[in-house]
């Protein structure tokens, strides 16, 4: 069994980006600039956005965090998106999800300029992904692909089972892994809440990607011996014994599944780290697109 070390690989990606930023600045260009809009004060969203901003600083990107109150009107939020869309000194814009219930997430996602949509959530970018065109690939699937690539994990001809069909993770992941690319060329099964006898599918997976949001749902008897296990889940469970008052748990019961797997991502320190690295990479691509009028490059063909 080998741990897929998201911290190590994301540090590698970030170091490469830092060198590229240094070269850019040495040529007299401004560094890439990421803006994030955070609505309200959900604890997990606060943590994610803080990590994104901190990572920008570490590698020399500029960043702007716009905080809006939980009761902000949709119009006010859309006005902020429009302001950032029009700001030529900002390359990438993310609106942290989830948004409060009174705000239409789809409307906000569509309002972000597709050329600044470094989350890859805009319908134009998701459409391009489906068609295999160069685009911003949403950060979690892009990060997982990068991790598979850097560990040299063979995917061609393998059966990949993706559990969870969200627009952000499960659906794009299933598309990327089924493509004629490397990583890719998998035979993909996409499972979801209506799948009957889920374990019969997960047990047949050479590569198992779990993005359910149900802590420690995947047990050892649901996994094939030697499988590659990618755990996308990040759930905060109350834990009075921890100084933070909570601990982070994945969708996979790590202690019992790890001994059966060939490769496995830990939580924390796995996919989450790669998501941030991929977001930074997308922001670099967004900047390159503005500088040279090139289209953003996709992670895969
Ligand atoms: N909420 C959970 N994951 C993400 C993400 O990757 N991007 C944004 N904007 N919000 C999220």
């Amino acid at each position: 069994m080998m741990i897929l070390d998201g911290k190590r690989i994301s540090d590698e990606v970030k170091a490469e980006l830092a060198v590229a930023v240094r070269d850019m600045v040495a040529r007299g260009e401004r560094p890439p600039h990421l803006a994030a809009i955070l609505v309200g004060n959900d604890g997990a969203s606060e943590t994610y956005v803080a990590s994104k901003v901190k990572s920008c600083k570490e590698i020399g990107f500029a960043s702007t965090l716009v905080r809006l109150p939980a009761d902000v009107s949709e119009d006010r939020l859309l006005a902020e998106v429009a302001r950032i869309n029009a700001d030529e000194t900002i390359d990438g814009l993310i609106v942290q999800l989830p948004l409060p219930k009174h705000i239409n997430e789809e409307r906000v996602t569509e309002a972000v300029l597709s050329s600044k949509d470094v989350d890859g959530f805009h319908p134009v970018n998701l459409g391009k992904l489906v068609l295999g065109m160069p685009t911003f690939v949403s950060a979690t699937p892009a990060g997982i692909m990068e991790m598979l690539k850097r560990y040299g994990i063979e995917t061609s001809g393998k059966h990949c089972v993706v559990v969870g069909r969200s627009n952000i993770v499960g659906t794009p992941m299933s598309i990327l892994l089924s493509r004629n690319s490397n990583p890719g060329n998998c035979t993909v099964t996409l499972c979801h809440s209506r799948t009957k006898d889920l374990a019969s599918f997960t047990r047949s997976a050479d590569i198992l990607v779990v993005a359910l949001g149900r802590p420690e749902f995947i047990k050892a008897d649901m996994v094939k011996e030697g499988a590659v296990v990618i755990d996308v889940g990040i759930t905060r469970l109350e834990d009075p014994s921890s100084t933070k008052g909570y601990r982070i748990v994945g969708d996979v019961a790590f202690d019992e599944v790890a001994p059966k797997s060939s490769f496995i991502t830990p939580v924390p320190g796995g996919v989450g780290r790669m998501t941030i690295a991929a977001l930074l990479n997308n922001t670099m691509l967004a900047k390159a697109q503005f500088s040279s009028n090139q289209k953003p490059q996709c992670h895969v063909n």
Side-chain angles (χ1 to χ4, degrees), residues 127-286:
K128 286 183 177 177
L129 178 85
V130 172
L131 295 169
M133 295 164 72
T135 188
F136 296 115
V137 178
S138 71
T140 299
I144 294 170
M145 295 298 275
E146 193 62 28
M147 188 179 237
L148 293 171
K149 189 154 109 190
R150 291 195 184 223
Y151 271 94
I153 292 173
E154 181 60 74
T155 57
S156 181
K158 305 286 183 189
H159 182 207
C160 175
V161 175
V162 178
V163 186
R165 57 181 158 186
S166 72
N167 293 337
I168 298 181
V169 184
T171 296
M173 201 67 240
S174 67
I175 294 165
L176 290 168
L177 283 168
S178 63
R179 277 197 187 156
N180 183 2
S181 61
N182 184 25
N185 282 316
C186 290
T187 303
V188 178
T189 304
L190 182 55
C191 297
H192 45 75
S193 54
R194 301 292 176 93
T195 298
K196 293 207 171 89
D197 193 7
L198 177 67
S200 71
F201 290 97
T202 57
R203 268 197 293 272
S204 75
D206 302 310
I207 301 169
L208 179 61
V209 181
V210 193
L212 266 179
R214 292 172 68 172
E216 300 188 331
F217 179 80
I218 299 290
K219 310 285 189 211
D221 63 356
M222 298 170 78
V223 177
K224 180 159 92 176
E225 196 72 45
V228 175
V229 180
I230 309 288
D231 187 351
V232 184
I234 301 181
T235 304
R236 285 181 175 204
L237 289 187
E238 263 187 48
D239 182 359
S241 71
S242 143
T243 46
K244 287 181 179 159
Y246 65 86
R247 66 195 165 93
I248 304 288
V249 180
D251 289 350
V252 175
F254 183 87
D255 290 346
E256 58 180 272
V257 172
K260 276 189 97 172
S261 57
S262 56
F263 294 91
I264 186 167
T265 59
V267 178
V271 171
R273 293 284 190 142
M274 291 308 299
T275 297
I276 295 184
L279 174 70
L280 298 170
N281 192 54
N282 280 349
T283 306
M284 175 62 93
L285 295 172

Side-chain angles (χ1 to χ4, degrees), residues 6-7 22 24 60 92 116 127 161 200 205 242 262 269-270 277 280 289 294:
K7 176 169 169 14
R22 224 180 303 138
M24 198 175 255
K116 294 195 181 190
V161 175
S200 71
S242 143
S262 56
L280 298 170
Q289 157 196 250
Q294 281 171 354

Side-chain angles (χ1 to χ4, degrees), residues 2 5 47 52 73 78 93 101 120 145 147 171-172 183 221 232 238 240 244 250 266 269 291 301:
M2 187 170 188
D5 186 347
T47 308
K52 291 169 185 177
S73 69
L78 289 171
L93 165 60
K101 296 247 175 322
M145 295 298 275
M147 188 179 237
T171 296
D221 63 356
V232 184
E238 263 187 48
K244 287 181 179 159
S291 308
N301 302 318

Side-chain angles (χ1 to χ4, degrees), residues 36-37 45 48-49 52 93-98 117-121 138-141 168-169 275-276 279:
I37 301 181
S45 291
Y48 297 149
V49 172
K52 291 169 185 177
L93 165 60
I94 61 168
V95 181
Q96 189 65 26
L97 304 179
D117 168 41
V118 286
D119 259 332
F121 293 171
S138 71
T140 299
I168 298 181
V169 184
T275 297
I276 295 184
L279 174 70

